Amino acid sequence: MFKVLVSDPISDLGIQQLVEAADVTVDKKPGLSEDELVAIIGEYDALLVRSQTRVTPRIMEAGKKLKVVGRAGVGVDNIDLGAATQYGIIVINAPDGNTITTCEHTFAMIMAVARHIPQAYAKTVSGVWDRKSFLGVELRNKVLGVMGMGRIGSEVALRAKAFGMEIMGYDPFMTEERAEKLGIKLATVDEIVRNADFMTVHTPLTAETRHMIGKKQFEVMKPGMRIVNCARGGIIDELALVEAIDNGVVAGAAFDVFEVEPPAADHPFLTHPKIIVTPHLGASTVEAQENVAIDVSEQVLHILRDEPFSNAVNMPPIPANLASQLQPYYALGEKLGNFIAQITDGPVQEITVGYSGELAEVDTQPLTRYIVKGVLSHHLGAENVNVVNSLHLAKERDVNIVVNKSHAAKDFTNLVSVSLRTKKEERNAAGTLLTGYGPRIVQIDKFPVDVTPEGNLILISHNDKPGIIGRVGTLLGTNDVNIATMQVGRQLVGGSAIMVLTVDKGADKAILEQLVSLSDLNSAKEITLN
């Protein structure tokens, strides 16, 4: 008989399948302190929590029988994942349980901003009968731009089509084939900004998506745009949006999220007559709270019964001898994946991983998970991708994973290579561990280099002509960007070449544009490797 402890308030319906299972006993004991949990957790095979219980290393160390900790929700900030992995405890969450709820809230916000519903309600109940100030627009025949075509974005697009809207969708993993199946037009961010009547964002907040809609986008935006954000605060530049509304570019906005939550009392969104706000209600429905508990309960049962399961967010234990052999390569693999993702343009279709040398002799799947995590985290956000779900997320997005092995590693004992193929291009990079020096990127495309994969980098493609290094250094110096190291890779004198600069601080888009304007310089990309 398995024993499950529920230490946070969770609906009876959410844990019904656990309660009714013949081989499970469920105890509901919400509000326990850490000491109280430590005293009793040794009796239990599973722990089910929401956000109140903090699952600490002490609790997991005391949980001698504990196989799984289930979080009835998405975030796992209250669970120490490192300690869970150390003690061989699987941590699972419920990433799909709030999909429909968030989608419906998004559509409610679209309707509200189209017809000024909150503003009209407030004026009516205040005693003013005003039909002239709230002229709205129909959704039919309007273009909706969906930024992020994952689970929630796809559900929003489906409902918008039922209202007769045309859908333009952007997603870094969206292919033409998948767009065609969904009945939408695949578009770039710029195309959506210039052509859509409504825009809703459903991307994670990453370095790449922070302020992806900002002053530059508002300057070329189709006049009359209406914008909805029920995803993450910070994807849209809040102050730039207020300015765009005041200048007549944006007709209205509806936000469920803020860059800082709760927002300050003087936040301009709270008093602007053309902005609708709600207090992060996207997942706040009875059904969503029940669904996440149902999802987690089902996975807990699978784990207890040694059946296949999903939605794990930490790395299951691997044999000690294999772990010791692969562990030094984990950081290299993840950073190689993240590096190649940042230098490659277009929706990702295929990730090819190559192992050469001694690595070809062992089971490298754990290392492959780190590499794929590095690629996907650039687009999906580090908090949404981990070494357990990375392969699943790639499959979910139709990204093909190919692994090749070879005993020959050229000049290195071991070599890890990663190639990324999109519809636009194919890029590759290779790395190794140098004794006494640690991880190194030793090849970018066809060019040999020796780059430490950390910090702020600038990758420059240029023609191998005299003086170009000096011009690059002068321009960066003028913009107060200090160069720490420089690596130049070329194959032929006077041919194409690359330059990899390590800089003390990131270079913004304006500086990169200045670099590209230099003669004989073809491209410049900023790369951040934490």
Side-chain angles (χ1 to χ4, degrees):
M1 182 70 70
F2 300 112
K3 293 190 68 175
V4 177
L5 175 63
V6 180
S7 63
D8 285 333
I10 294 177
S11 71
D12 290 337
L13 179 60
I15 60 173
Q16 183 175 348
Q17 57 190 317
L18 286 173
V19 173
E20 294 179 351
D23 54 349
V24 174
T25 298
V26 177
D27 293 335
K28 297 181 69 174
K29 297 182 179 181
L32 297 177
S33 68
E34 182 184 27
D35 287 340
E36 290 171 327
L37 271 169
V38 167
I40 66 171
I41 196 63
E43 308 171 24
Y44 293 94
D45 302 278
L47 173 63
L48 195 57
V49 303
R50 288 188 63 188
S51 57
Q52 294 94 322
T53 300
R54 301 203 63 81
V55 188
T56 64
R58 280 188 66 215
I59 292 170
M60 286 182 276
E61 182 181 17
K64 302 302 182 183
K65 296 173 59 180
L66 203 59
K67 293 182 178 180
V68 55
V69 175
R71 162 71 163 96
V74 179
V76 289
D77 295 344
N78 56 317
I79 303 170
D80 191 312
L81 297 182
T85 299
Q86 177 185 346
Y87 292 111
I89 300 168
I90 300 168
V91 178
I92 57 172
N93 68 347
D96 300 328
N98 63 2
T99 296
I100 299 302
T101 291
T102 305
C103 160
E104 290 183 353
H105 191 71
T106 299
F107 218 86
M109 298 288 259
I110 292 173
M111 297 292 292
V113 76
R115 301 302 297 269
H116 313 289
I117 292 172
Q119 298 94 325
Y121 167 81
K123 200 164 190 180
T124 303
V125 298
S126 72
V128 179
W129 186 261
D130 180 6
R131 298 181 62 193
K132 297 181 179 179
S133 299
F134 304 111
L135 186 66
V137 294
E138 292 185 354
L139 300 187
R140 186 174 61 119
N141 295 329
K142 298 300 190 300
V143 177
L144 173 66
V146 182
M147 302 287 198
M149 290 297 300
R151 292 182 296 268
I152 297 171
S154 296
E155 291 290 343
V156 170
L158 181 66
R159 285 153 181 75
K161 289 179 66 178
F163 275 77
M165 302 187 81
E166 299 177 27
I167 316 299
M168 298 177 71
Y170 163 78
D171 192 283
F173 297 99
M174 176 72 73
T175 62
E176 291 283 0
E177 292 76 15
R178 181 163 174 256
E180 187 175 341
K181 287 180 182 177
L182 292 172
I184 70 169
K185 179 183 178 182
L186 186 59
T188 65
V189 172
D190 184 65
E191 287 170 338
I192 289 175
V193 165
R194 292 177 182 272
N195 296 286
D197 302 295
F198 289 78
M199 180 171 64
T200 176
V201 295
H202 298 285
T203 69
L205 181 64
T206 67
E208 190 177 51
T209 62
R210 178 174 292 278
H211 290 183
M212 70 184 296
I213 305 300
K215 188 175 180 64
K216 184 177 179 181
Q217 286 70 37
F218 289 122
E219 289 175 352
V220 298
M221 186 169 285
K222 181 178 181 178
M225 173 82 83
R226 289 169 170 83
I227 299 175
V228 173
N229 184 4
C230 294
R232 289 289 184 270
I235 296 172
I236 297 170
D237 186 330
E238 294 175 350
L239 297 182
L241 172 61
V242 172
E243 183 180 348
I245 294 176
D246 291 341
N247 291 338
V249 175
V250 176
F255 272 56
D256 186 45
V257 290
F258 295 81
E259 293 196 37
V260 176
E261 294 184 356
D266 61 351
H267 194 293
F269 278 20
L270 303 183
T271 54
H272 202 290
K274 293 185 178 181
I275 299 179
I276 299 166
V277 294
T278 51
H280 208 143
L281 299 179
S284 296
T285 62
V286 172
E287 292 86 352
Q289 299 307 314
E290 290 178 346
N291 286 340
V292 294
I294 290 169
D295 289 351
V296 167
S297 295
E298 181 179 4
Q299 297 307 314
V300 165
L301 269 180
H302 287 320
I303 292 169
L304 293 178
R305 294 169 176 171
D306 289 325
E307 298 170 350
F309 62 92
S310 59
N311 300 333
V313 295
N314 67 327
M315 187 67 173
I318 61 175
N321 61 333
L322 180 60
S324 63
Q325 191 169 356
L326 293 181
Q327 195 277 333
Y329 289 90
Y330 288 159
L332 169 67
E334 184 170 345
K335 289 187 176 183
L336 263 180
N338 198 249
F339 176 87
I340 199 72
Q342 293 185 57
I343 70 172
T344 309
D345 293 325
V348 179
Q349 294 181 314
E350 186 170 86
I351 304 170
T352 300
V353 180
Y355 298 110
S356 302
E358 295 174 357
L359 286 174
E361 302 288 343
V362 300
D363 177 8
T364 52
Q365 188 184 72
L367 179 52
T368 300
R369 291 177 178 273
Y370 276 90
I371 293 169
V372 176
K373 175 180 183 286
V375 174
L376 298 188
S377 63
H378 173 64
H379 299 289
L380 302 179
E383 72 279 8
N384 298 313
V385 188
N386 56 68
V387 292
V388 174
N389 69 9
S390 60
L391 298 183
H392 172 74
L393 291 176
K395 182 179 180 181
E396 190 177 65
R397 286 158 176 78
D398 298 324
V399 177
N400 191 36
I401 309 295
V402 178
V403 177
N404 298 319
K405 293 188 176 184
S406 170
H407 295 289
K410 296 182 180 179
D411 300 324
F412 305 99
T413 304
N414 287 300
L415 191 69
V416 181
S417 63
V418 184
S419 295
L420 213 57
R421 180 171 62 83
T422 72
K423 277 208 167 183
K424 290 186 176 182
E425 60 180 344
E426 182 169 349
R427 304 293 298 269
N428 59 78
T432 191
L433 297 181
L434 296 182
T435 304
Y437 295 94
R440 285 290 191 275
I441 297 175
V442 296
Q443 184 174 330
I444 301 173
D445 295 324
K446 59 186 178 182
F447 302 105
V449 293
D450 181 7
V451 177
T452 303
E454 62 183 26
N456 299 306
L457 308 175
I458 301 175
L459 174 63
I460 295 172
S461 172
H462 61 95
N463 300 324
D464 184 30
K465 297 289 183 66
I468 193 166
I469 292 177
R471 294 199 299 274
V472 168
T474 299
L475 190 152
L476 292 177
T478 301
N479 285 280
D480 195 33
V481 177
N482 188 52
I483 299 173
T485 67
M486 174 185 290
Q487 273 282 311
V488 177
R490 67 178 186 179
Q491 287 190 314
L492 298 173
V493 176
S496 60
I498 62 169
M499 190 187 311
V500 186
L501 310 177
T502 303
V503 293
D504 291 345
K505 66 177 183 178
D508 60 30
K509 291 181 180 179
I511 296 174
L512 297 178
E513 289 171 357
Q514 291 178 51
L515 284 169
V516 174
S517 69
L518 295 175
S519 60
D520 291 313
L521 198 148
N522 303 316
S523 67
K525 290 181 179 288
E526 181 190 27
I527 300 149
T528 302
L529 298 173
N530 295 320

